[in-house]
């Protein structure tokens, strides 16, 4: 059993990491892009339960449990990448 655990740990440790790919939890991904501009405004804070955006003087708060997708979109050379964040719509 120990051999299986050791070989599994070695396999996961030697797996190649692809640059530019997001890994980890969604909270960790959002913490990495904190301070950057998104489609919802500037991501200013990431806490345990919610995220906060500033957009033209407005403060937007969204709970993390309704986060649907974070997209990193390619742009032209020399331009910063676009970050698109979507939350589930609830009525």
């Amino acid at each position: 059993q120990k051999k299986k655990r050791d070989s599994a740990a070695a396999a996961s440790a030697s797996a190649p990491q692809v640059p530019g790919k997001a890994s980890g939890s969604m909270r960790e991904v959002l913490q990495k892009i904190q301070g950057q501009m998104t489609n919802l405004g500037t991501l200013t804070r990431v806490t345990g339960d919610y995220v906060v955006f500033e957009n033209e003087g407005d403060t937007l708060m969204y709970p993390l449990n309704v986060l649907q997708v974070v997209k990193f979109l390619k742009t032209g050379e020399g331009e910063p990448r676009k970050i698109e964040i979507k939350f589930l719509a609830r009525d």
Side-chain angles (χ1 to χ4, degrees):
Q1 198 174 26
K2 185 180 178 187
K3 287 181 182 180
K4 287 182 183 179
R5 204 173 25 228
D6 290 342
S7 65
S12 66
S14 64
Q17 295 293 323
V18 179
K21 296 284 184 181
S23 62
S25 71
M26 289 298 250
R27 183 179 297 113
E28 290 171 349
V29 171
L30 291 171
Q31 286 172 339
K32 289 179 184 178
I33 63 170
Q34 192 168 331
Q36 295 186 30
M37 187 66 179
T38 71
N39 61 313
L40 299 172
T42 303
L43 178 58
T44 59
R45 188 169 35 166
V46 179
T47 68
D49 297 330
Y50 62 92
V51 293
V52 179
F53 297 91
E54 294 289 333
N55 188 11
E56 298 178 5
D58 296 330
T59 302
L60 308 168
M61 298 173 73
Y62 293 94
L64 278 174
N65 64 348
V66 295
L67 178 63
Q68 183 177 19
V69 66
V70 177
K71 291 182 184 179
F72 298 96
L73 304 172
K74 292 182 181 181
T75 58
E77 297 248 350
E79 295 179 28
R81 66 182 178 190
K82 291 184 180 181
I83 302 170
E84 185 177 308
I85 299 175
K86 290 185 180 181
F87 292 89
L88 295 172
R90 292 188 175 178
D91 293 332

